[in-house]
Amino acid sequence: MDPSGRQKLAAALFRRYEGNPILTAERWPYPINSVFNPGAIRFNDEVLLLNRVEDLRGASHLTCARSKNGLTDWIIDEAPTMKADPGNKEEQWGLEDPRIVWLEEQRQFAITYVSFSEGGPIVSLAITRNFKTFARMGGLLPPEDKDACLFPRRFNGRFALIHRPIVRGEAHIWMSLSPDLKHWGDNRVLLKTRSGYWDGARVGLACQPIELPEGWLLIYHGVRVTTGSHLYRTGMALLDKNEPWRVLRRSEEWVLGPKEPYERVGDVNDVTFVTGAVIMPDNKLYLYYGAADDKVAVAIADVDRVREYIMACPEVAT
């Protein structure tokens, strides 16, 4: 496929659900400022969103919403599902931006999220079977770190974590490996920013890694700084199935970016910030994202078209 054909495919890959935004502060069962950046998973034949909710003080907690079709008739927990522990210094200023994955070996869900400590944002881990009770495993790596998710299984006996530390002022996507979810090493840069591109200022993981026949689909956000705003858009890369620290392909263009009014105007303008994904029974990929940092929206693509697109993207030299 030539670059022009690939770019046309990228532009038409995702369609926004006509009922967007699907979750807003006005629909919430208790007073809040905003709801955005949800982790997403299929659970008990429903789509479960674990949403970042900002309260009227400006701190965030996490609250579940459930829907049979992943689009409408959301049932929202009447109170926060997971709040910051005031006795935990790691969580002094709230919990943000969860990503969810089913750990095959442990038969439990792993939630990676950002907790705010005196030293800055930390990637933390919680384990659950029911999204009602949570075993908090604490911080995984030192601050400043965000945008993290585990893979659902080990590679050569080790867990793999994608995350985004700030190192020397640079904001690249990294991968780290661990034998036990406590001790992390083999830290390496996975995906760098690209000067002059739409993802030239910062990059970070979007939703959990998605396994395809061709490898692991990595959906990520990229930031471009303009005189008026920081534009948050969404791109894709393909990782090797058995050695996910190897990047095989990467999109040159973005596949989702702020366009609609609910994405352009909000608490933070010009943001489409994907944090959750679900593949539905009809082979459709639902991407759940924070729109302008104050509402939740969903974009939909056919999985086979996503596969076609990522395989048409340029190979990455190793």
Side-chain angles (χ1 to χ4, degrees):
M1 185 182 297
D2 61 35
S4 175
R6 189 189 69 240
Q7 290 166 6
K8 288 180 181 178
L9 180 56
L13 196 59
F14 285 94
R15 69 171 180 86
R16 291 160 173 82
Y17 171 54
E18 57 273 14
N20 278 344
I22 58 172
L23 294 173
T24 63
E26 290 74 23
R27 303 178 194 177
W28 221 246
Y30 56 90
I32 63 170
N33 174 60
S34 56
V35 52
F36 54 118
N37 298 3
I41 203 79
R42 286 192 62 81
F43 178 63
N44 289 343
D45 294 324
E46 295 180 311
V47 173
L48 181 145
L49 300 185
L50 185 60
N51 301 277
R52 174 180 172 183
V53 177
E54 186 180 275
D55 64 25
L56 299 178
R57 303 168 302 157
S60 293
H61 58 266
L62 309 178
T63 299
C64 284
R66 298 167 176 84
S67 166
K68 289 291 186 183
N69 64 9
L71 298 172
T72 60
D73 300 321
W74 292 94
I75 299 173
I76 304 167
D77 285 0
E78 293 293 326
T81 308
M82 187 173 173
K83 296 176 68 174
D85 178 359
N88 186 341
K89 291 184 178 180
E90 176 188 308
E91 299 180 354
Q92 283 189 337
W93 292 293
L95 314 177
E96 301 182 359
D97 301 354
R99 278 85 171 180
I100 309 169
V101 66
W102 172 252
L103 291 180
E104 297 173 359
E105 180 182 332
Q106 287 71 24
R107 307 298 296 172
Q108 297 187 85
F109 293 99
I111 304 166
T112 43
Y113 58 97
V114 177
S115 54
F116 273 82
S117 69
E118 290 182 353
I122 294 176
V123 172
S124 295
L125 173 65
I127 303 295
T128 187
R129 284 192 173 93
N130 54 20
F131 292 94
K132 295 179 181 178
T133 58
F134 304 88
R136 303 193 194 203
M137 312 301 289
L140 301 183
L141 292 161
E144 176 178 347
D145 208 349
K146 288 186 172 185
D147 301 328
C149 191
L150 291 165
F151 283 78
R153 61 175 179 269
R154 300 183 196 236
F155 302 93
N156 298 327
R158 293 187 292 178
F159 296 97
L161 178 76
I162 297 175
H163 57 115
R164 205 285 306 282
I166 300 296
V167 180
R168 301 182 303 271
E170 299 171 346
H172 308 308
I173 298 174
W174 287 60
M175 179 176 286
S176 299
L177 302 176
S178 169
D180 56 8
L181 295 176
K182 294 180 180 179
H183 304 91
W184 295 90
D186 282 344
N187 307 301
R188 66 193 82 187
V189 175
L190 186 67
L191 218 64
K192 289 187 174 182
T193 57
R194 296 182 289 193
S195 179
Y197 277 69
W198 61 273
D199 52 4
R202 289 192 297 278
V203 290
L205 177 70
C207 57
Q208 69 269 41
I210 300 168
E211 189 171 10
L212 301 175
E214 296 81 4
W216 293 96
L217 180 67
L218 176 71
I219 301 175
Y220 73 97
H221 65 260
V223 180
R224 182 171 186 174
V225 179
T226 72
T227 55
S229 66
H230 290 58
L231 285 163
Y232 279 77
R233 300 179 174 120
T234 305
M236 294 182 174
L238 185 70
L239 311 180
D240 184 86
K241 181 167 287 193
N242 298 313
E243 298 178 335
W245 45 87
R246 292 181 54 231
V247 181
L248 304 179
R249 297 179 182 272
R250 182 176 181 179
S251 63
E252 290 190 339
E253 50 280 319
W254 66 86
V255 296
L256 182 69
K259 181 174 70 174
E260 297 298 324
Y262 56 83
E263 301 163 343
R264 300 300 306 271
V265 179
D267 277 3
V268 180
N269 295 342
D270 296 324
V271 173
T272 51
F273 196 86
V274 175
T275 44
V278 168
I279 294 180
M280 300 298 285
D282 62 357
N283 207 38
K284 292 292 193 295
L285 173 63
Y286 285 18
L287 289 188
Y288 295 93
Y289 62 98
D293 267 19
D294 64 2
K295 58 193 85 72
V296 175
V298 59
I300 302 168
D302 183 87
V303 171
D304 290 335
R305 295 282 281 173
V306 171
R307 293 171 59 194
E308 178 186 1
Y309 171 72
I310 194 61
M311 294 306 294
C313 289
E315 294 184 13
V316 175
T318 56

